[in-house]
Coordinates of all heavy atoms in Angstrom, one line a residue:
M190 N 0.8 -1.2 0.0 CA 0.0 0.0 0.0 C 0.9 1.2 0.0 O 1.9 1.3 0.7 CB -0.9 0.0 1.2 CG -1.7 1.3 1.3 SD -2.3 1.7 2.9 CE -3.7 0.9 3.1
R191 N 0.5 2.2 -0.8 CA 1.3 3.4 -0.9 C 0.8 4.4 0.3 O -0.3 4.6 0.4 CB 1.0 4.1 -2.2 CG 1.7 5.4 -2.4 CD 1.6 5.8 -3.9 NE 1.5 7.3 -4.0 CZ 2.4 8.1 -3.8 NH1 3.6 7.7 -3.4 NH2 2.3 9.4 -4.0
T192 N 1.8 4.9 1.0 CA 1.5 5.7 2.2 C 1.9 7.2 1.9 O 1.5 8.0 2.7 CB 2.2 5.2 3.4 OG1 3.6 5.3 3.2 CG2 1.8 3.8 3.8
G193 N 2.7 7.4 0.9 CA 3.1 8.8 0.6 C 4.4 9.2 1.1 O 4.9 10.3 0.9
N194 N 5.1 8.3 1.9 CA 6.3 8.7 2.5 C 7.5 7.8 1.9 O 8.5 7.7 2.6 CB 6.3 8.6 4.0 CG 6.0 7.2 4.5 OD1 5.7 6.3 3.7 ND2 6.0 6.9 5.8
E195 N 7.3 7.2 0.7 CA 8.3 6.4 0.1 C 9.5 7.3 -0.3 O 9.3 8.5 -0.7 CB 7.8 5.7 -1.1 CG 6.8 4.7 -0.8 CD 5.4 5.2 -0.7 OE1 5.2 6.4 -1.0 OE2 4.4 4.5 -0.4
P196 N 10.7 6.8 -0.2 CA 11.9 7.6 -0.7 C 11.8 7.9 -2.2 O 11.4 7.1 -3.0 CB 13.1 6.7 -0.4 CG 12.6 5.5 0.3 CD 11.1 5.5 0.3
V197 N 12.1 9.1 -2.5 CA 12.0 9.6 -3.9 C 13.0 8.9 -4.8 O 12.8 8.6 -5.9 CB 12.2 11.1 -4.0 CG1 12.2 11.6 -5.4 CG2 11.1 11.8 -3.2
T198 N 14.2 8.6 -4.2 CA 15.3 8.0 -5.0 C 15.4 6.5 -4.8 O 16.5 5.9 -5.0 CB 16.6 8.7 -4.7 OG1 16.9 8.5 -3.3 CG2 16.6 10.1 -5.1
A199 N 14.3 5.8 -4.4 CA 14.4 4.4 -4.1 C 14.8 3.6 -5.4 O 14.3 3.9 -6.5 CB 13.1 3.9 -3.6
R200 N 15.6 2.6 -5.3 CA 16.0 1.8 -6.4 C 15.9 0.3 -6.1 O 16.0 -0.1 -5.0 CB 17.5 2.1 -6.8 CG 17.8 3.5 -7.2 CD 17.3 3.7 -8.7 NE 17.5 5.0 -9.1 CZ 16.6 6.0 -9.3 NH1 15.4 5.8 -9.0 NH2 17.0 7.2 -9.7
S201 N 15.6 -0.4 -7.1 CA 15.5 -1.9 -6.9 C 16.9 -2.5 -6.9 O 17.7 -2.1 -7.7 CB 14.6 -2.5 -8.0 OG 14.6 -3.9 -8.0
P202 N 17.1 -3.5 -6.0 CA 18.4 -4.1 -6.0 C 18.5 -5.3 -7.0 O 19.2 -6.3 -6.7 CB 18.4 -4.7 -4.5 CG 17.0 -5.0 -4.2 CD 16.2 -3.9 -4.9
L203 N 18.0 -5.1 -8.2 CA 18.0 -6.2 -9.1 C 19.4 -6.5 -9.6 O 19.8 -7.7 -9.8 CB 17.1 -5.9 -10.4 CG 15.6 -6.0 -10.1 CD1 14.9 -5.5 -11.3 CD2 15.3 -7.4 -9.7
R204 N 20.3 -5.5 -9.8 CA 21.6 -5.8 -10.3 C 22.4 -6.6 -9.3 O 23.2 -7.5 -9.6 CB 22.3 -4.5 -10.7 CG 21.6 -3.7 -11.8 CD 22.5 -3.4 -13.0 NE 21.8 -2.6 -13.9 CZ 21.1 -3.0 -15.0 NH1 21.1 -4.3 -15.2 NH2 20.5 -2.2 -15.8
L205 N 22.3 -6.2 -8.0 CA 22.9 -6.9 -6.9 C 22.4 -8.4 -6.9 O 23.2 -9.3 -6.8 CB 22.7 -6.2 -5.6 CG 23.3 -7.0 -4.4 CD1 24.8 -7.1 -4.4 CD2 22.8 -6.3 -3.1
R206 N 21.1 -8.5 -7.0 CA 20.5 -9.9 -7.0 C 21.0 -10.7 -8.2 O 21.2 -11.9 -8.1 CB 19.0 -9.8 -7.0 CG 18.3 -11.0 -6.6 CD 16.9 -10.7 -6.4 NE 16.1 -11.8 -6.9 CZ 14.8 -11.8 -7.1 NH1 14.1 -10.6 -6.9 NH2 14.1 -12.8 -7.6
F207 N 21.2 -10.0 -9.3 CA 21.7 -10.7 -10.5 C 23.1 -11.3 -10.2 O 23.4 -12.5 -10.5 CB 21.8 -9.7 -11.7 CG 22.5 -10.2 -12.9 CD1 21.9 -11.1 -13.8 CD2 23.8 -9.9 -13.1 CE1 22.6 -11.6 -14.9 CE2 24.5 -10.4 -14.2 CZ 23.9 -11.2 -15.1
W208 N 24.0 -10.4 -9.7 CA 25.4 -10.9 -9.5 C 25.5 -11.9 -8.3 O 26.3 -12.9 -8.4 CB 26.3 -9.7 -9.1 CG 26.5 -8.9 -10.4 CD1 26.1 -7.6 -10.6 CD2 27.2 -9.3 -11.5 NE1 26.4 -7.2 -11.9 CE2 27.2 -8.2 -12.5 CE3 27.9 -10.4 -11.9 CZ2 27.8 -8.2 -13.7 CZ3 28.5 -10.5 -13.2 CH2 28.4 -9.4 -14.0
L209 N 24.6 -11.8 -7.3 CA 24.6 -12.8 -6.3 C 24.1 -14.2 -6.8 O 24.6 -15.2 -6.4 CB 23.8 -12.3 -5.1 CG 24.4 -11.2 -4.3 CD1 23.4 -10.8 -3.2 CD2 25.7 -11.7 -3.6
S210 N 23.1 -14.1 -7.7 CA 22.6 -15.4 -8.3 C 23.6 -16.0 -9.1 O 23.8 -17.2 -9.1 CB 21.3 -15.1 -9.1 OG 20.2 -14.9 -8.3
L211 N 24.3 -15.2 -9.9 CA 25.4 -15.7 -10.8 C 26.5 -16.3 -9.9 O 27.0 -17.4 -10.2 CB 25.9 -14.6 -11.7 CG 26.8 -15.0 -12.8 CD1 26.0 -15.9 -13.8 CD2 27.3 -13.8 -13.6
W212 N 26.9 -15.6 -8.9 CA 27.9 -16.1 -8.0 C 27.5 -17.5 -7.3 O 28.3 -18.4 -7.2 CB 28.2 -15.1 -6.9 CG 29.3 -15.4 -5.9 CD1 29.1 -15.8 -4.6 CD2 30.7 -15.4 -6.1 NE1 30.3 -16.0 -4.0 CE2 31.3 -15.8 -4.9 CE3 31.5 -15.1 -7.2 CZ2 32.7 -15.9 -4.8 CZ3 32.8 -15.2 -7.1 CH2 33.4 -15.6 -5.9
G213 N 26.3 -17.5 -6.9 CA 25.7 -18.8 -6.3 C 25.7 -19.9 -7.3 O 26.0 -21.1 -6.9
M214 N 25.3 -19.6 -8.5 CA 25.3 -20.6 -9.5 C 26.7 -21.2 -9.8 O 26.8 -22.4 -9.9 CB 24.7 -20.1 -10.8 CG 23.3 -20.5 -11.1 SD 22.8 -19.8 -12.7 CE 23.2 -21.1 -13.8
V215 N 27.7 -20.3 -9.9 CA 29.0 -20.8 -10.1 C 29.5 -21.7 -9.0 O 30.0 -22.8 -9.2 CB 30.0 -19.6 -10.3 CG1 31.4 -20.0 -10.3 CG2 29.6 -18.9 -11.6
W216 N 29.3 -21.3 -7.7 CA 29.8 -22.0 -6.6 C 29.0 -23.3 -6.4 O 29.6 -24.4 -6.1 CB 29.7 -21.2 -5.3 CG 30.9 -20.4 -5.2 CD1 31.0 -19.0 -5.5 CD2 32.2 -20.8 -4.8 NE1 32.3 -18.6 -5.3 CE2 33.1 -19.7 -4.9 CE3 32.8 -22.0 -4.4 CZ2 34.4 -19.7 -4.5 CZ3 34.2 -22.0 -4.1 CH2 35.0 -20.9 -4.2
A217 N 27.7 -23.3 -6.7 CA 26.9 -24.5 -6.6 C 27.3 -25.5 -7.7 O 27.3 -26.7 -7.4 CB 25.4 -24.2 -6.6
A218 N 27.5 -25.0 -8.9 CA 28.0 -25.9 -9.9 C 29.3 -26.5 -9.6 O 29.6 -27.7 -9.8 CB 28.0 -25.2 -11.3
A219 N 30.2 -25.7 -9.1 CA 31.5 -26.3 -8.7 C 31.4 -27.3 -7.6 O 32.1 -28.3 -7.6 CB 32.5 -25.1 -8.3
G220 N 30.5 -27.0 -6.6 CA 30.3 -28.0 -5.6 C 29.7 -29.3 -6.1 O 30.0 -30.4 -5.6
A221 N 28.7 -29.2 -7.0 CA 28.1 -30.4 -7.6 C 29.1 -31.2 -8.3 O 29.2 -32.4 -8.1 CB 27.0 -30.0 -8.5
A222 N 30.0 -30.5 -9.1 CA 31.0 -31.3 -9.8 C 32.0 -31.9 -8.8 O 32.4 -33.1 -8.9 CB 31.8 -30.4 -10.7
A223 N 32.4 -31.2 -7.8 CA 33.4 -31.7 -6.8 C 32.8 -32.9 -6.0 O 33.5 -33.9 -5.8 CB 33.8 -30.6 -5.9
F224 N 31.6 -32.8 -5.6 CA 30.9 -33.9 -4.9 C 30.7 -35.1 -5.7 O 30.8 -36.2 -5.3 CB 29.6 -33.4 -4.2 CG 29.9 -32.6 -2.9 CD1 29.3 -31.3 -2.8 CD2 30.6 -33.1 -1.9 CE1 29.5 -30.6 -1.6 CE2 30.8 -32.4 -0.7 CZ 30.2 -31.2 -0.6
A225 N 30.4 -34.8 -7.0 CA 30.2 -36.0 -7.9 C 31.5 -36.7 -8.1 O 31.5 -38.0 -8.2 CB 29.6 -35.5 -9.3
L226 N 32.6 -36.0 -8.3 CA 33.9 -36.6 -8.4 C 34.4 -37.3 -7.2 O 35.1 -38.3 -7.2 CB 34.9 -35.6 -8.9 CG 34.8 -35.0 -10.3 CD1 35.8 -33.9 -10.5 CD2 34.9 -36.1 -11.3
A227 N 33.9 -36.8 -6.0 CA 34.3 -37.4 -4.7 C 33.4 -38.6 -4.4 O 33.7 -39.2 -3.3 CB 34.2 -36.3 -3.6
G228 N 32.4 -38.9 -5.2 CA 31.6 -40.0 -4.9 C 30.5 -39.8 -3.8 O 30.1 -40.7 -3.1
R229 N 30.1 -38.5 -3.7 CA 29.0 -38.2 -2.8 C 27.8 -37.7 -3.6 O 27.5 -36.5 -3.8 CB 29.5 -37.0 -1.9 CG 30.7 -37.2 -1.1 CD 30.3 -38.0 0.1 NE 31.5 -38.1 1.0 CZ 31.4 -38.4 2.3 NH1 30.2 -38.5 2.8 NH2 32.4 -38.5 3.0
P230 N 26.9 -38.7 -4.0 CA 25.8 -38.3 -4.9 C 24.8 -37.5 -4.2 O 24.1 -36.7 -4.8 CB 25.3 -39.7 -5.3 CG 25.7 -40.6 -4.3 CD 27.0 -40.1 -3.8
G231 N 24.6 -37.7 -2.9 CA 23.6 -36.9 -2.2 C 23.9 -35.4 -2.2 O 23.1 -34.5 -2.4
W232 N 25.2 -35.1 -1.8 CA 25.6 -33.7 -1.8 C 25.7 -33.1 -3.2 O 25.4 -31.9 -3.4 CB 27.0 -33.6 -1.1 CG 26.9 -33.8 0.4 CD1 27.2 -34.8 1.1 CD2 26.4 -32.8 1.3 NE1 27.0 -34.6 2.4 CE2 26.5 -33.3 2.6 CE3 25.9 -31.5 1.2 CZ2 26.1 -32.7 3.7 CZ3 25.5 -30.8 2.3 CH2 25.6 -31.4 3.6
A233 N 26.0 -34.0 -4.2 CA 26.1 -33.5 -5.5 C 24.7 -33.1 -6.0 O 24.4 -32.1 -6.7 CB 26.7 -34.5 -6.5
A234 N 23.7 -33.9 -5.6 CA 22.3 -33.6 -6.0 C 21.8 -32.4 -5.3 O 21.0 -31.5 -5.9 CB 21.4 -34.8 -5.6
A235 N 22.2 -32.2 -4.1 CA 21.8 -30.9 -3.3 C 22.4 -29.7 -4.0 O 21.7 -28.7 -4.2 CB 22.2 -31.0 -1.9
C236 N 23.6 -29.8 -4.4 CA 24.3 -28.7 -5.1 C 23.6 -28.4 -6.5 O 23.4 -27.3 -6.9 CB 25.8 -28.9 -5.2 SG 26.6 -28.7 -3.7
A237 N 23.3 -29.5 -7.1 CA 22.6 -29.4 -8.4 C 21.2 -28.7 -8.3 O 20.8 -27.9 -9.1 CB 22.5 -30.7 -9.1
A238 N 20.5 -29.0 -7.2 CA 19.3 -28.4 -6.9 C 19.5 -26.9 -6.7 O 18.6 -26.0 -7.1 CB 18.6 -29.0 -5.7
L239 N 20.5 -26.5 -6.0 CA 20.9 -25.1 -5.8 C 21.2 -24.4 -7.1 O 20.8 -23.2 -7.3 CB 22.0 -24.9 -4.8 CG 21.7 -25.2 -3.4 CD1 22.9 -25.1 -2.5 CD2 20.7 -24.2 -2.9
V240 N 21.9 -25.1 -8.0 CA 22.1 -24.6 -9.4 C 20.8 -24.2 -10.1 O 20.7 -23.2 -10.7 CB 23.0 -25.5 -10.2 CG1 23.1 -25.0 -11.6 CG2 24.4 -25.6 -9.6
V241 N 19.9 -25.2 -10.0 CA 18.6 -24.9 -10.7 C 17.9 -23.8 -10.0 O 17.3 -22.9 -10.7 CB 17.7 -26.2 -10.6 CG1 16.3 -26.0 -11.1 CG2 18.4 -27.3 -11.5
L242 N 17.9 -23.7 -8.7 CA 17.2 -22.6 -8.0 C 17.8 -21.3 -8.3 O 17.1 -20.3 -8.6 CB 17.3 -22.9 -6.5 CG 16.5 -22.0 -5.6 CD1 15.0 -22.1 -5.9 CD2 16.8 -22.2 -4.2
A243 N 19.1 -21.2 -8.4 CA 19.8 -20.0 -8.7 C 19.6 -19.6 -10.2 O 19.4 -18.4 -10.5 CB 21.3 -20.1 -8.4
G244 N 19.5 -20.6 -11.0 CA 19.2 -20.3 -12.4 C 17.8 -19.8 -12.6 O 17.6 -18.8 -13.4
V245 N 16.8 -20.3 -11.9 CA 15.5 -19.7 -12.0 C 15.4 -18.3 -11.5 O 14.8 -17.4 -12.1 CB 14.5 -20.6 -11.2 CG1 13.1 -20.0 -11.0 CG2 14.3 -22.0 -11.9
D246 N 16.1 -18.1 -10.4 CA 16.2 -16.7 -9.8 C 16.9 -15.8 -10.8 O 16.4 -14.6 -11.0 CB 16.9 -16.7 -8.5 CG 16.9 -15.3 -7.8 OD1 15.8 -14.7 -7.8 OD2 18.0 -14.9 -7.4
L247 N 17.9 -16.2 -11.4 CA 18.6 -15.4 -12.4 C 17.7 -15.1 -13.6 O 17.7 -14.0 -14.1 CB 19.9 -16.2 -12.9 CG 20.9 -15.4 -13.7 CD1 21.5 -14.3 -12.8 CD2 22.0 -16.3 -14.1
A248 N 16.9 -16.1 -14.1 CA 16.0 -15.8 -15.2 C 14.9 -14.8 -14.8 O 14.6 -13.9 -15.6 CB 15.3 -17.1 -15.6
V249 N 14.4 -14.9 -13.6 CA 13.4 -13.9 -13.1 C 14.0 -12.5 -13.0 O 13.4 -11.5 -13.5 CB 12.8 -14.3 -11.8 CG1 12.0 -13.2 -11.2 CG2 12.0 -15.6 -11.9
V250 N 15.2 -12.4 -12.5 CA 15.9 -11.1 -12.4 C 16.2 -10.5 -13.8 O 15.9 -9.3 -14.0 CB 17.2 -11.2 -11.6 CG1 18.0 -10.0 -11.7 CG2 16.9 -11.6 -10.1
V251 N 16.7 -11.3 -14.7 CA 16.9 -10.8 -16.0 C 15.6 -10.3 -16.7 O 15.6 -9.3 -17.3 CB 17.6 -11.9 -16.9 CG1 17.7 -11.5 -18.4 CG2 19.0 -12.1 -16.4
R252 N 14.6 -11.1 -16.5 CA 13.3 -10.7 -17.0 C 12.8 -9.3 -16.5 O 12.4 -8.4 -17.2 CB 12.2 -11.7 -16.7 CG 10.8 -11.4 -17.3 CD 9.9 -12.6 -17.0 NE 8.5 -12.2 -17.3 CZ 7.7 -11.8 -16.3 NH1 8.0 -11.8 -15.1 NH2 6.5 -11.4 -16.7
H253 N 13.0 -9.1 -15.2 CA 12.6 -7.9 -14.5 C 13.5 -6.7 -15.0 O 13.0 -5.6 -15.2 CB 12.6 -8.0 -13.0 CG 11.5 -8.8 -12.5 ND1 11.3 -9.0 -11.1 CD2 10.5 -9.5 -13.1 CE1 10.2 -9.7 -11.0 NE2 9.7 -10.0 -12.1
I254 N 14.8 -7.0 -15.2 CA 15.7 -5.9 -15.6 C 15.3 -5.5 -17.1 O 15.3 -4.3 -17.4 CB 17.1 -6.4 -15.6 CG1 17.6 -6.5 -14.1 CG2 18.0 -5.5 -16.3 CD1 19.0 -7.1 -13.9
R255 N 15.0 -6.5 -17.9 CA 14.6 -6.2 -19.3 C 13.3 -5.5 -19.4 O 13.0 -4.8 -20.4 CB 14.6 -7.4 -20.1 CG 16.0 -7.9 -20.4 CD 16.0 -9.0 -21.4 NE 17.4 -9.5 -21.6 CZ 17.7 -10.4 -22.4 NH1 16.8 -11.1 -23.1 NH2 19.0 -10.8 -22.6
Q256 N 12.4 -5.6 -18.4 CA 11.1 -4.9 -18.5 C 11.3 -3.4 -18.3 O 10.4 -2.7 -18.8 CB 10.2 -5.4 -17.4 CG 9.5 -6.7 -17.6 CD 8.7 -7.2 -16.5 OE1 8.8 -6.7 -15.4 NE2 7.8 -8.1 -16.8
G257 N 12.4 -3.0 -17.7 CA 12.6 -1.6 -17.6 C 11.8 -1.0 -16.4 O 11.1 -1.7 -15.7
P258 N 11.9 0.3 -16.3 CA 11.3 1.0 -15.2 C 9.7 1.0 -15.4 O 9.2 1.0 -16.5 CB 11.8 2.4 -15.2 CG 12.3 2.6 -16.6 CD 12.7 1.3 -17.1
H259 N 9.0 0.8 -14.3 CA 7.6 0.8 -14.3 C 7.1 2.2 -13.8 O 7.8 2.9 -13.1 CB 7.0 -0.3 -13.4 CG 7.4 -1.6 -13.8 ND1 6.8 -2.2 -14.9 CD2 8.2 -2.6 -13.4 CE1 7.3 -3.4 -15.1 NE2 8.2 -3.6 -14.2
Y260 N 5.9 2.5 -14.1 CA 5.3 3.7 -13.6 C 5.3 3.9 -12.1 O 4.9 2.9 -11.4 CB 3.9 3.9 -14.2 CG 3.1 5.1 -13.6 CD1 3.4 6.3 -14.0 CD2 2.2 4.9 -12.6 CE1 2.8 7.4 -13.4 CE2 1.6 6.0 -12.0 CZ 1.9 7.2 -12.4 OH 1.2 8.3 -11.9
Q261 N 5.7 5.0 -11.6 CA 5.7 5.3 -10.2 C 5.0 6.6 -10.1 O 5.4 7.6 -10.8 CB 7.1 5.3 -9.6 CG 7.8 4.0 -9.6 CD 7.1 3.0 -8.7 OE1 6.7 3.3 -7.6 NE2 7.0 1.8 -9.2
P262 N 4.0 6.8 -9.2 CA 3.4 8.1 -9.1 C 4.3 9.1 -8.6 O 5.2 8.8 -7.8 CB 2.2 7.8 -8.1 CG 2.6 6.6 -7.4 CD 3.5 5.8 -8.4
G263 N 4.2 10.4 -9.0 CA 5.0 11.4 -8.6 C 4.6 12.1 -7.3 O 3.6 11.6 -6.6
R264 N 5.2 13.2 -6.9 CA 4.9 13.8 -5.6 C 3.5 14.4 -5.7 O 2.9 14.7 -4.6 CB 5.9 14.9 -5.4 CG 7.3 14.4 -5.0 CD 8.2 15.5 -4.7 NE 9.5 15.0 -4.3 CZ 10.5 15.7 -3.9 NH1 10.4 17.0 -3.9 NH2 11.6 15.2 -3.6
D265 N 3.0 14.8 -6.9 CA 1.7 15.4 -6.9 C 0.5 14.4 -6.8 O -0.6 14.8 -6.6 CB 1.5 16.1 -8.3 CG 1.8 15.2 -9.5 OD1 2.5 14.2 -9.3 OD2 1.2 15.5 -10.6
V266 N 0.8 13.1 -6.7 CA -0.2 12.1 -6.5 C -0.4 11.9 -5.0 O 0.6 11.5 -4.3 CB 0.1 10.8 -7.2 CG1 -0.9 9.7 -7.0 CG2 0.3 11.0 -8.7
P267 N -1.5 12.1 -4.4 CA -1.7 11.9 -3.0 C -1.7 10.5 -2.6 O -1.9 9.6 -3.5 CB -3.1 12.5 -2.7 CG -3.8 12.5 -4.0 CD -2.8 12.6 -5.1
P268 N -1.3 10.2 -1.4 CA -1.3 8.8 -0.9 C -2.7 8.2 -0.9 O -3.7 8.9 -0.9 CB -0.7 8.8 0.5 CG -0.9 10.2 0.9 CD -0.9 11.1 -0.3
Y269 N -2.8 6.9 -1.0 CA -4.1 6.2 -1.0 C -4.7 6.3 0.4 O -3.9 6.3 1.4 CB -3.9 4.7 -1.4 CG -3.4 4.5 -2.7 CD1 -2.3 3.7 -2.9 CD2 -4.0 5.1 -3.8 CE1 -1.8 3.4 -4.2 CE2 -3.5 4.9 -5.1 CZ -2.4 4.0 -5.3 OH -1.9 3.8 -6.5
E270 N -6.0 6.3 0.4 CA -6.6 6.3 1.8 C -6.5 5.0 2.4 O -6.7 4.0 1.7 CB -8.1 6.7 1.6 CG -8.4 8.1 1.4 CD -9.8 8.5 1.6 OE1 -10.5 7.9 2.5 OE2 -10.3 9.2 0.8
P271 N -6.2 4.9 3.7 CA -6.1 3.6 4.3 C -7.5 2.9 4.3 O -8.5 3.6 4.4 CB -5.6 3.9 5.7 CG -5.8 5.3 5.9 CD -5.9 6.0 4.6
P272 N -7.5 1.6 4.3 CA -8.8 0.9 4.4 C -9.5 1.2 5.7 O -8.8 1.2 6.7 CB -8.5 -0.6 4.2 CG -7.0 -0.7 4.5 CD -6.4 0.7 4.2
R273 N -10.8 1.3 5.6 CA -11.5 1.6 6.9 C -12.0 0.3 7.5 O -12.4 -0.7 6.9 CB -12.8 2.4 6.5 CG -12.4 3.7 5.9 CD -13.6 4.6 5.7 NE -13.4 5.7 4.8 CZ -12.9 6.9 5.2 NH1 -12.5 7.1 6.4 NH2 -12.7 7.8 4.3
Q274 N -11.9 0.2 8.8 CA -12.3 -0.9 9.6 C -13.8 -0.9 9.9 O -14.3 0.2 10.3 CB -11.5 -1.0 10.9 CG -10.0 -1.1 10.8 CD -9.6 -2.4 10.2 OE1 -10.3 -3.4 10.3 NE2 -8.5 -2.4 9.5
G275 N -14.5 -2.0 9.7 CA -15.9 -2.0 10.0 C -16.7 -1.2 9.0 O -16.3 -1.0 7.8
S276 N -17.9 -0.7 9.4 CA -18.7 0.1 8.5 C -18.6 1.5 8.8 O -18.6 2.1 9.8 CB -20.2 -0.3 8.7 OG -20.4 -1.7 8.5

């Protein structure tokens, strides 16, 4: 809900989330490979699941970045009225 006191220069942390997802994917893939070579299939599967999870997050972040900025109301738009309790 918009209250009217949001920061004017607020930015989305999508670029940071992009790099963290990429970093996590690299490390999880390395862990999956290392555990597979070490003969630990359970840990390798867990790391592979993390690779998939980080890949999905990376795809969502890239999609959001490519969508570009969305409309945000300016200072001249008053805040929404809060919902009223009861009648």
Side-chain angles (χ1 to χ4, degrees):
M190 177 204 274
R191 181 170 143 70
T192 61
N194 60 355
E195 293 86 4
V197 176
T198 58
R200 297 285 182 252
S201 173
L203 286 176
R204 301 235 187 261
L205 175 64
R206 194 168 143 198
F207 171 82
W208 290 110
L209 288 174
S210 284
L211 195 60
W212 181 256
M214 254 180 95
V215 168
W216 277 101
F224 281 123
L226 291 174
R229 302 279 189 160
W232 284 105
C236 286
L239 284 176
V240 169
V241 170
L242 187 65
V245 168
D246 185 46
L247 195 62
V249 169
V250 168
V251 168
R252 179 175 169 263
H253 286 185
I254 288 173
R255 287 189 179 179
Q256 282 179 344
H259 296 288
Y260 170 75
Q261 294 294 319
R264 291 183 178 182
D265 56 335
V266 178
Y269 299 128
E270 281 192 44
R273 300 187 197 272
Q274 299 292 333
S276 304

